Amino acid sequence: MSAAVAVHDRTARRTVGLHPEVEALPRERLAALQLERLRESLRRAWEQVPWQRERLQRAGLSGAQDVRTLDDLRRLPFTVKTDLRDHYPFGLFALPVEQLARLHASSGTTGKPTVVGYSAADLNTWADLMARTLHCAGARRGDIVHNAYGYGLFTGGLGMHAGAERLGAVVVPASGGGTERQVALIMDFGARVLCATPSYALAIAEVAEAQGVDLRRSALRVGLFGAEPWSEAMRREIQARLPLKAIDNYGLSEIMGPGVAVECEQQDGLHGWEDHFLFEVVDPDTQAPLPDGAAGELVITTLTRQALPMLRYRTRDITRLTRVRCACGRTHARLLRVSGRNDDMLIVRGVNVFPSQIEAVLIGQPHLAPHYQLVLRRRGSLDHVTLEAEAVPGLAALQYDGVAREVAHRVKSTVGITVEVVLQAPGALPRSQGKAVRVRDLRKKGA
Ligand code: DLL
């Protein structure tokens, strides 16, 4: 890549973000950088990955030089998760495995895991992007960062860890679990930043309350919450129980891990780091590109990944894009919250529903704890949905039925589906230590 457009543009605003020269890069310069990097990424895929070359040829391309404008991206074929599985473990890598520095994997519900590889340069880019992500959320050099994302094959723990170190913060590698001890560490060390899934952040708050520890008096000020869909209602709930700004951050292992997009302090959409990724939204059924503002499936192309260049990866995640400049001054496109995965969408008697829509109705109700699960069963030829919710301590058992009826009514009037609400005693529902399981689908088992 020519150093041209890259990282040291003197004309750009210097006031925004950890890397102001790229975070506030004027859009036309950003586009020039993207095109240059796209061609380089394509060339890597073409030369190093026979499967990529074959299908690019089938799509009528004769090489990376055929991509002359960013609109030519649409000539490239999509990549889907099963492409990675079909070439398990290393078949889509653009570097020999002995030249890599790290492997991560995400476990699928069926079959083989999806394996992703990183060169030393990829890890370096990732740490930079994570430092930028943490900074965008409000973390600063010298902050104590309590990292409760799981360490291991999951990208959350190690990804955040590297970014916090790169930022110059002090990282506490807590990982998931041992929640009582986590509460003590947050208080004793004076953590200012908490990294966790939103559901685990709530579990931490709840355990603290049960221990008689008031986390509202802790030093926590910034929460980086992601790795699962969550609603505005959940954000309000977390911000009421912890003295922090709850910031949404999005990523996926196939593309890199966390650090793909993050909210700034405006909490008004997640800045996607467009100097490293191209974002498109397409119609999930026809794959036709959709304009900014329209909801559809997010498709991401990597611009700088060496080990695993991804061309038009279909994430299955549903979101909307805006390229209107944010009040913070960053110029990069924003994702307007990821409402859920296509795979998680329930179709209940013809109505499409994401669990996060039901969450938005539940959370904040005075008699309910912020935990829930949806259980799907087949009754005859129809789908039956049970919403398992949990009462707050102190609610008399006599009131359970009335509260359940009220919740069912609200779900029907707001979301439009009929659910049977079963109210459980406090503590009855499983607590997450990582990604919460919101849906138990028993239909295939004939239940
Ligand atoms: O969850 C990476 C990550 C770690 C992101 C820590 C943020 C924080 P995977 O395990 O591969 O990677 O799962 C990726 O999780 O396709 C979405 O469906 C979902 N997801 C991730 N972040 C969000 C979010 C990590 N902020 C899958 N909102 C993605 C909604 C999210 N869904």
Side-chain angles (χ1 to χ4, degrees):
M1 171 204 38
S2 84
V5 234
V7 198
H8 300 292
D9 178 7
R10 292 206 176 82
T11 61
R13 294 173 53 155
R14 295 203 159 268
T15 48
V16 187
L18 187 64
H19 300 153
E21 59 290 343
V22 277
E23 292 180 47
L25 198 61
R27 287 212 60 90
E28 65 280 11
R29 297 185 65 100
L30 189 55
L33 174 65
Q34 289 177 322
L35 180 61
E36 186 180 305
R37 289 182 168 179
L38 173 62
R39 292 173 67 150
E40 199 169 294
S41 196
L42 196 58
R43 189 180 47 73
R44 212 170 11 246
W46 182 281
E47 287 171 6
Q48 309 295 337
V49 191
W51 177 80
Q52 296 277 25
R53 184 168 53 246
E54 279 160 31
R55 65 198 202 112
L56 287 166
Q57 281 169 336
R58 272 203 303 278
L61 278 91
S62 56
Q65 68 285 354
D66 285 357
V67 169
R68 294 195 184 85
T69 69
L70 283 177
D71 284 341
D72 287 334
L73 179 68
R74 293 181 184 170
R75 297 179 58 191
L76 309 183
F78 292 100
T79 309
V80 292
K81 197 180 184 83
T82 45
D83 293 329
L84 279 160
R85 294 233 176 91
D86 293 346
H87 296 86
Y88 176 84
F90 308 140
L92 298 191
F93 288 4
L95 287 172
V97 70
E98 64 274 15
Q99 286 180 29
L100 301 191
R102 172 103 57 87
L103 298 170
H104 278 281
S106 67
S107 53
T109 38
T110 50
K112 301 272 190 209
T114 309
V115 183
V116 292
Y118 303 78
S119 67
D122 288 334
L123 290 181
N124 190 46
T125 306
W126 190 17
D128 271 351
L129 279 176
M130 281 311 308
R132 206 198 264 182
T133 296
L134 280 147
H135 186 275
C136 185
R140 292 293 177 267
R141 163 178 284 276
D143 281 352
I144 295 184
V145 175
H146 186 96
N147 185 14
Y149 282 116
Y151 281 62
L153 289 174
F154 173 55
T155 51
L158 286 165
M160 287 284 166
H161 186 103
E165 286 188 346
R166 180 66 51 95
L167 180 66
V170 185
V171 58
V172 181
S175 198
T179 310
E180 293 193 0
R181 195 171 57 133
Q182 302 228 13
V183 171
L185 295 181
I186 290 170
M187 292 303 280
D188 296 349
F189 293 175
R192 186 172 174 276
V193 181
L194 173 64
C195 304
T197 58
S199 56
Y200 191 50
L202 268 185
I204 291 175
E206 189 179 61
V207 166
E209 282 159 26
Q211 284 178 290
V213 177
D214 189 358
L215 278 181
R216 280 173 304 187
R217 301 174 64 143
S218 71
L220 288 176
R221 294 295 176 267
V222 178
L224 275 112
F225 302 134
E228 64 187 8
W230 54 306
S231 60
E232 274 308 314
M234 181 94 155
R235 170 159 27 216
R236 283 195 295 277
E237 178 79 23
I238 294 174
Q239 292 185 159
R241 296 170 87 159
L242 299 172
L244 48 70
K245 213 166 207 189
I247 298 287
D248 194 1
N249 69 107
Y250 168 85
L252 63 167
S253 36
E254 293 86 342
I255 293 302
M256 189 176 72
V260 174
V262 64
E263 286 179 330
C264 62
E265 291 170 34
Q266 302 288 327
Q267 294 175 306
D268 187 21
L270 294 81
H271 293 277
W273 298 129
E274 282 193 282
D275 50 328
H276 292 275
F277 311 107
L278 286 178
F279 298 93
E280 300 170 84
V281 168
V282 303
D283 182 315
D285 299 323
T286 64
Q287 281 95 62
L290 293 175
D292 284 359
E297 180 176 346
L298 181 66
V299 171
I300 307 180
T301 300
T302 60
L303 295 174
T304 51
R305 278 300 290 280
Q306 291 191 338
L308 188 56
M310 274 291 171
L311 304 178
R312 303 191 85 195
Y313 184 72
R314 290 188 58 181
T315 63
R316 318 286 298 161
D317 293 322
I318 302 297
T319 191
R320 290 178 292 137
L321 275 180
T322 175
R323 288 183 172 82
V324 174
R325 185 192 277 218
C326 177
C328 75
R330 288 181 182 82
T331 50
H332 295 224
R334 280 171 290 154
L335 315 183
L336 298 176
R337 202 178 256 290
V338 173
S339 50
R341 290 178 66 72
N342 231 359
D343 318 337
D344 295 340
M345 191 179 73
L346 315 172
I347 304 180
V348 185
R349 305 192 188 175
V351 182
N352 297 355
V353 185
F354 285 110
S356 57
Q357 286 173 274
I358 293 180
E359 175 181 304
V361 177
L362 274 184
I363 293 193
Q365 293 295 312
H367 301 304
L368 298 182
H371 309 283
Y372 69 97
Q373 275 195 337
L374 293 161
V375 186
L376 308 184
R377 295 188 178 83
R378 183 83 74 193
R379 294 243 173 107
S381 60
L382 292 177
D383 290 337
H384 180 85
V385 184
T386 308
L387 168 55
E388 294 185 352
E390 197 181 290
V392 289
L395 183 72
L398 269 176
Q399 289 181 271
Y400 278 25
D401 278 351
V403 171
R405 269 198 305 278
E406 167 67 15
V407 173
H409 175 71
R410 276 176 189 268
V411 171
K412 177 76 186 168
S413 60
T414 327
V415 187
I417 61 166
T418 302
V419 295
E420 178 192 356
V421 178
V422 175
L423 203 58
Q424 311 259 25
L429 291 181
R431 300 296 189 258
S432 101
Q433 297 186 348
K435 293 180 193 253
V437 177
R438 298 300 194 194
V439 179
R440 287 190 351 250
D441 191 346
L442 307 179
R443 287 174 301 187
K444 287 170 207 105
K445 294 170 200 149

